[in-house]
């Protein structure tokens, strides 16, 4: 297995993805689009191409453990499929023949780069980043200060009111939803991919809190709640109260509203972002149960 005890910046992700693809010829690697700064957004797929589950990570710059978790899980799936060995107690290879897995390890590559390497990674937006942030290690947004998970077209106007009530009315390290929904290429890339591919379900990985969110509005399918309850049972993560989470603007919210199919947000780890790299292995052990179940349930 690849060493995942590393900071998954652009170059490191590329090395990891290349080495997985070299080893397992049945993996499909493509790009879903480009970030504001022109960084490519990777998509990896394994298994059946008709019925697919989508896992996305790295929405928020400092939440890089989610990137590592998705890459590691993907490699484990490929290994199990090739060698016909179990993963997390399941014959995952057989399940993947029925329900394929697509991952976008890093939805917001500019944000991850800024959080890991500082404002210089924002290229022509360097001065904007420096103006609004004095600690780029905590950076969450994309390179021009829009929070991708506030930029989806689901309850966006209500979310905008809440942002304004918190005095967030322009580019910010976190929680600025942009001037209109889907204003950002990273958001558009994801909605376009989902409309093209018809995923059966989607899970967005964030950190932190060891929590699960599974509903948005009245269109939430009952399977979303059942998945959340199964995830909670295998991980000990708490399911967050639907009233508190009807905030809108997020990928999960949009997916539920648009397709009326299950979508969940899973908050990995516990502490303050950025969580230290040393938390990864232990947190991954817990999360692996959820990652397996999202495919086999
Ligand atoms: Zn997040």
């Amino acid at each position: 297995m690849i060493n995942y005890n590393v900071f998954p910046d652009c170059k490191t992700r590329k090395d990891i993805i290349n080495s997985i693809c070299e080893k397992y010829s049945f993996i499909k690697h493509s790009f879903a689009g480009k970030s504001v700064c022109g960084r490519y957004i990777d998509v990896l797929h394994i298994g059946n191409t008709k019925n697919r589950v989508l896992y996305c990570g790295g929405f928020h710059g400092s939440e890089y453990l989610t990137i590592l978790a998705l890459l590691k899980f993907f490699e484990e799936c490929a290994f199990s499929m090739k060698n016909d060995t179990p993963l997390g107690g399941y014959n995952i290879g057989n399940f993947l023949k029925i329900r394929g897995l697509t991952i976008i390890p890093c939805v917001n590559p500019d944000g991850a780069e800024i959080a890991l390497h500082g404002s210089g990674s924002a290229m022509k937006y360097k001065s904007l980043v420096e103006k609004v942030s004095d600690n780029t290690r905590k950076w969450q947004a994309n390179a021009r200060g829009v929070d991708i998970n506030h930029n989806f077209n689901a309850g966006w106007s209500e979310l905008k009111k809440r942002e304004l009530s918190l005095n967030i009315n322009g580019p910010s390290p976190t929680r600025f939803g942009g001037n209109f929904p889907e204003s950002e290429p990273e958001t558009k890339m994801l909605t376009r991919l989902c409309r093209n591919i018809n995923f059966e379900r989607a899970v967005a990985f964030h950190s932190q809190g060891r929590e699960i969110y599974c509903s948005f509005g009245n269109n939430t399918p009952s399977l979303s709640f059942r998945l959340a309850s199964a995830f909670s049972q295998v991980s000990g993560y708490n399911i967050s109260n639907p009233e508190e989470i009807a905030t809108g603007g997020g990928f999960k919210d949009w997916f539920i509203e648009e397709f009326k199919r299950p979508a969940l947000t899973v908050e990995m780890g516990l502490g303050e972002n950025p969580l230290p790299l040393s938390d990864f292995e232990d947190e991954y052990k817990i999360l692996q149960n959820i990652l397996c179940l999202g495919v086999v349930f």
Side-chain angles (χ1 to χ4, degrees), residues 80-234:
S80 295
M81 202 170 189
K82 185 175 176 182
N83 299 293
D84 204 21
T85 52
L87 179 62
Y90 301 100
N91 188 329
I92 202 95
N94 284 347
F95 284 98
L96 288 168
K97 283 172 200 154
I98 300 161
R99 186 185 283 139
L101 172 66
T102 300
I103 68 162
I104 303 181
C106 186
V107 168
N108 174 17
D110 297 344
E113 216 64 9
I114 293 165
L116 292 171
H117 294 308
S119 60
S121 309
M123 299 178 180
K124 69 172 179 173
Y125 299 100
K126 180 176 187 279
S127 56
L128 179 151
V129 169
E130 286 168 355
K131 201 174 132 195
V132 300
S133 166
D134 52 14
N135 181 4
T136 50
R137 288 180 70 248
K138 292 188 169 298
W139 189 266
Q140 299 276 61
N142 74 356
R144 56 186 180 208
V146 178
D147 189 324
I148 300 306
N149 217 40
H150 280 224
N151 191 234
F152 286 88
N153 194 11
W156 185 88
S157 310
E158 291 73 40
L159 180 65
K160 179 57 64 183
K161 282 177 206 151
R162 274 188 291 276
E163 288 171 20
L164 291 171
S165 74
L166 296 168
N167 258 336
I168 300 167
N169 50 20
S172 164
T174 180
R175 294 182 298 176
F176 171 58
N179 293 323
F180 53 94
E182 288 195 33
S183 59
E184 302 310 295
E186 296 88 351
T187 318
K188 266 193 209 142
M189 156 300 284
L190 200 44
T191 57
R192 189 174 54 229
L193 187 82
C194 289
R195 288 190 177 108
N196 286 342
I197 292 186
N198 270 331
F199 294 103
E200 265 187 32
R201 60 179 71 151
V203 185
F205 292 88
H206 289 256
S207 74
Q208 51 76 44
R210 293 190 191 143
E211 284 179 312
I212 300 161
Y213 301 83
C214 66
S215 69
F216 182 72
N218 299 324
N219 289 327
T220 310
S222 60
L223 181 56
S224 220
F225 294 100
R226 293 205 301 279
L227 272 165
S229 153
F231 282 3
S232 171
Q233 270 171 33
V234 295

Side-chain angles (χ1 to χ4, degrees), residues 59-60 63 140 206-207 267:
F59 284 85
H60 289 138
E63 299 173 4
Q140 299 276 61
H206 289 256
S207 74
E267 296 277 358

